[in-house]
Amino acid sequence: MSEATDWNTSIINEFRANDGKVGGGFEGAPMVLVHHVGRKSGKRNVTPMMYLPDDEDARTIYVFASKAGAPTNPAWYYNLVTAGTAQIEVGTETVDVAVTEVTGAERDRRYSEQARRYPGFAEYEEKTAGVRTIPVLALTRS
């Protein structure tokens, strides 16, 4: 297993053992496990992510394809956009969601709010300036 896979596995295990809560650098942050299928490999994947709840629609959360400020988008972003649907674990609940990319002013507003709450996201945006715009996806319960 790669170091990244080991790290994800430990976060997933902690999430599931603690009713959707994790510690360390994610202490107190809203976390979700996103189930997606590789668009090329067909492999089933689970990726832990921080999310931003929609304050006006309890059915919707936002996830950010930051890849910690890397110059490329994460594979899970392409998997979710291609599929248009996914399954997520929030707390102890597993639900189906529709996946929609958020663009323009709404994307900027959602990303700015996440960066305000979690300054690491502002750093990711600085790292990607002029290289790529970090995508924002809305995950809405079916």
Side-chain angles (χ1 to χ4, degrees):
M1 268 192 209
S2 73
E3 190 175 319
T5 301
D6 287 345
W7 183 81
N8 276 354
T9 299
S10 69
I11 297 294
I12 292 165
N13 291 341
E14 184 178 357
F15 180 100
R16 289 176 174 158
N18 296 293
D19 299 328
K21 305 230 183 322
V22 297
F26 297 113
E27 184 76 39
M31 296 292 294
V32 61
L33 300 182
V34 179
H35 297 247
H36 53 100
V37 176
R39 69 196 182 289
K40 294 178 184 176
S41 69
K43 179 182 170 204
R44 295 187 180 280
N45 302 286
V46 178
T47 305
M49 302 177 199
M50 289 177 64
Y51 71 87
L52 176 70
D54 187 314
D55 293 334
E56 297 164 9
D57 180 1
R59 296 179 323 116
T60 300
I61 64 172
Y62 300 93
V63 295
F64 307 86
S66 66
K67 200 175 177 183
T72 59
N73 292 326
W76 63 257
Y77 160 76
Y78 297 107
N79 295 342
L80 292 175
V81 170
T82 298
T85 61
Q87 195 172 64
I88 62 172
E89 293 177 57
V90 179
T92 59
E93 188 178 20
T94 301
V95 297
D96 293 325
V97 293
V99 177
T100 309
E101 186 153 9
V102 180
T103 59
E106 183 182 0
R107 178 257 169 226
D108 296 345
R109 185 168 55 90
R110 301 293 180 190
Y111 197 92
S112 291
E113 180 59 22
Q114 183 73 349
R116 185 188 70 74
R117 294 182 189 191
Y118 302 97
F121 284 86
E123 293 172 23
Y124 304 152
E125 193 165 46
E126 287 173 18
K127 288 181 180 179
T128 60
V131 177
R132 71 179 177 103
T133 300
I134 295 172
V136 176
L137 298 179
L139 306 181
T140 303
R141 294 173 189 237
S142 302

